[in-house]
Amino acid sequence: MKKLLFASDYQEGAHPKIIQRLAETNLMQSFGYGMDEICESARERIRAACGCREAEVHFLVGGTQTNATVIDALLQSYEGVIAPDSGHVSLHEAGAIEAGGHKVLTIPHEFGKIGAKAVEEYCKEYEQDLNHEHMVKPGMVYISQPTEYGTIYSLKELEALSRVCRENNLPLYVDGARLAYA
């Protein structure tokens, strides 16, 4: 059996059915990425899956651009993103996130996963620091599913993280770059 690498989705080839579909649509003329009938079909499926017919769905060309765009949109200029120190935005995309003016606030991980307790403690330490108004404020939490180690957050772990994020008014952002592995 071939070993899967979870560091980046660019390290694996495409499934034969994807290659087949690309070949089938290769000569199809369209108005460009995001404006074609395939993207419109995907938009409708996403809206239906989310149960939100009025949702705006936009496609970006890659994971780094997507993460940088979402993180920049969700954070205020004085906020940073809490992430595992092994996380994609911490190691491979930190320059893109920080070029947008947001610090990546790393915390220790266990096989790529961060726990609700660690996030809660980070937020508590920030609030209790007498100089916190001079520090980068935690503004969101980033995780990968699966992680760069190939581990998967359980529903219980996600619910605990979500609870802590809600209690601290922090959006929980799940990077699904390796979602096909999950």
Side-chain angles (χ1 to χ4, degrees):
M1 180 172 188
K2 183 180 166 199
K3 179 180 176 184
L4 293 176
L5 302 173
F6 293 96
S8 172
D9 53 339
Y10 304 123
Q11 293 178 322
E12 296 291 330
H15 189 279
K17 288 183 180 180
I18 293 173
I19 299 296
Q20 178 183 343
R21 184 67 179 135
L22 286 170
E24 291 168 5
T25 61
N26 185 46
L27 297 177
M28 189 173 108
Q29 293 183 341
S30 67
F31 294 105
Y33 184 68
M35 303 184 68
D36 57 274
E37 63 188 61
I38 293 171
C39 287
E40 190 53 40
S41 172
R43 273 188 197 88
E44 288 304 317
R45 290 177 187 193
I46 292 168
R47 289 178 182 126
C50 294
C52 188
R53 290 282 170 209
E54 68 279 359
E56 289 189 32
V57 178
H58 303 276
F59 298 106
L60 298 171
V61 297
T64 300
Q65 295 88 347
T66 301
N67 290 338
T69 299
V70 171
I71 289 169
D72 191 45
L74 291 176
L75 294 179
Q76 297 295 320
S77 60
Y78 50 87
E79 293 177 324
V81 56
I82 297 172
D85 53 18
S86 63
H88 213 64
V89 296
S90 306
L91 297 175
H92 304 106
E93 297 175 345
I97 305 310
E98 293 169 359
H102 301 289
K103 185 173 178 130
V104 179
L105 307 166
T106 59
I107 61 176
H109 67 91
E110 188 171 322
F111 300 108
K113 298 193 291 186
I114 56 173
K117 185 175 180 173
V119 172
E120 192 170 44
E121 287 174 4
Y122 189 93
C123 292
K124 191 179 287 185
E125 287 175 15
Y126 169 82
E127 288 297 330
Q128 291 175 350
D129 191 303
L130 297 178
N131 290 311
H132 74 266
E133 65 272 358
H134 302 289
M135 299 164 56
V136 176
K137 180 180 181 181
M140 68 183 293
V141 173
Y142 165 96
I143 61 171
S144 300
Q145 177 77 331
T147 71
E148 290 72 12
Y149 284 72
T151 54
I152 305 287
Y153 284 90
S154 69
L155 179 58
K156 184 178 177 183
E157 290 169 321
L158 290 171
E159 287 172 340
L161 267 173
S162 179
R163 178 188 50 75
V164 167
C165 287
R166 283 192 313 276
E167 289 170 358
N168 289 280
N169 296 315
L170 301 172
L172 174 59
Y173 177 64
V174 181
D175 182 347
R178 289 156 300 283
L179 196 56
Y181 297 139

